[in-house]
Every structure is written in C-alpha cells, then in structure tokens.
Amino acid sequence: MNIKIVCVGKLKEKYFKQGIAEYAKRLSKFCKFQIVEVPDEKAPEKLSDAEIEKVKEIEGERILSKIKDKEYVYALAILGKERTSENFAEEIKELTTYGTSDITFVIGGSLGLSPAVLKRANTQISFGRFTMPHQLMRLVLTEQIYRAFMINAGAPYHK
C-alpha cells in the first residue's frame, strides 16, 4: 500500500518536520509513505480574482503532475465532507480491501485548490471549518492517517 501527500510549498518549521517524521516512521510498518512538495507560486498580498485563479491554476498543474491515473485522491478542502476518525479508518480499509493500493492526499497552497485538482479528486475531505496553515495541516493529516491504521489494527492508540 502506498500513501502519498502532495502539497504546495516547502516545510520550513523544524517542529512540524519532527512531528511528521515521527508519524512517518510509525506509518512505515503499515505502508510506504511519502510527502511530495511542489513549489508554491509567488504572489503579492493583494490579488485580483483573476490573479488568484491563475495562481491556483499554476499550482494545480504542478499538483496534477504528481498524481497517476490509478491513484485514489482525497482533496483537502474546507467545504469537503467531514469524517470521524473511525469513518476515515473504515474508508481506508474499504479502499485497500477492494484493490486500491495507491491513495493520495492533496493539500493546496494558501489560496486553495484549483478547479482541475478538485475535479480530479475522488473525494474531498474537511478537517472542519477552521482555516489552518498548510504546514500544520500536513502534521494533522499525517497523524490522522496513522490513527486510521491503528484503528484498523485494533490498537488502543486512538482512545
């Protein structure tokens, strides 16, 4: 089983890197886990709607270049479907049981995901209506993926 997170931008904060590295190490007994970073498009603070869409389009092309046809794609989107940890674990179990061995999660940049990326996604997932820095979201997502595997293994971790 392969789990991949495709995300926009570089992770600079040491504390996020350490947390993600810990969960990646724990995940190694369940799956091949990787994070693929694509460059963010430089943009000034004040952008017109057209400029925002252009930035999302460029970042979206970079994201899509890292996704293969056979991958099942979760797009992280504030308006996506919220799940409990148990529901999420069940989804992962069902996907792997029925032949999907490549699951990809996509975290967009500060302006969000392009329509093309949202269209390519098999589903959208939300971690609530809060806006979070995408660096923090990487850590939260990695922990939740680990939690799903632990739930599916019947381990007490998630209590």
Side-chain angles (χ1 to χ4, degrees):
M1 144 146 296
N2 298 303
I3 302 276
K4 176 170 62 178
I5 299 175
V6 178
C7 43
V8 175
K10 285 244 177 271
L11 191 59
K12 297 172 189 79
E13 296 84 359
K14 187 177 177 184
Y15 49 93
F16 287 140
K17 287 181 179 181
Q18 290 171 328
I20 291 167
E22 176 61 29
Y23 287 113
K25 184 175 84 181
R26 294 180 188 187
L27 276 166
S28 68
K29 65 181 163 200
F30 299 108
C31 65
K32 180 176 177 261
F33 177 77
Q34 72 176 124
I35 295 179
V36 176
E37 294 177 333
V38 299
D40 55 347
E41 186 63 15
K42 299 295 177 233
E45 282 294 311
K46 300 263 187 220
L47 295 174
S48 70
D49 289 348
E51 290 169 325
I52 288 171
E53 290 309 310
K54 185 66 181 167
V55 168
K56 288 182 355 183
E57 181 185 328
I58 292 166
E59 290 176 350
E61 288 169 4
R62 292 174 184 159
I63 290 167
L64 291 170
S65 75
K66 304 298 181 188
I67 299 172
K68 296 180 179 76
D69 288 344
K70 65 181 173 131
E71 294 173 12
Y72 187 91
V73 177
Y74 282 88
L76 275 71
I78 218 164
L79 298 177
K81 180 183 170 198
E82 291 185 47
R83 292 148 169 90
T84 65
S85 294
E86 292 81 7
N87 293 147
F88 181 56
E90 186 60 33
E91 271 184 46
I92 298 293
K93 184 163 62 175
E94 284 186 23
L95 285 170
T96 56
T97 301
Y98 297 105
T100 302
S101 60
D102 296 304
I103 301 173
T104 297
F105 296 86
V106 177
I107 302 173
S110 59
L111 300 175
L113 293 167
S114 71
V117 172
L118 293 173
K119 185 175 182 217
R120 168 57 185 91
N122 297 87
T123 188
Q124 293 180 28
I125 187 169
S126 173
F127 285 78
R129 301 293 181 232
F130 286 112
T131 300
M132 285 190 229
H134 51 275
Q135 301 91 329
L136 175 59
M137 197 62 240
R138 285 190 213 187
L139 177 58
V140 171
L141 175 60
T142 305
E143 189 280 334
Q144 284 297 307
I145 294 167
Y146 174 68
R147 183 177 295 270
F149 279 104
M150 293 302 283
I151 290 169
N152 289 337
Y157 168 82
H158 76 287
K159 300 278 187 222

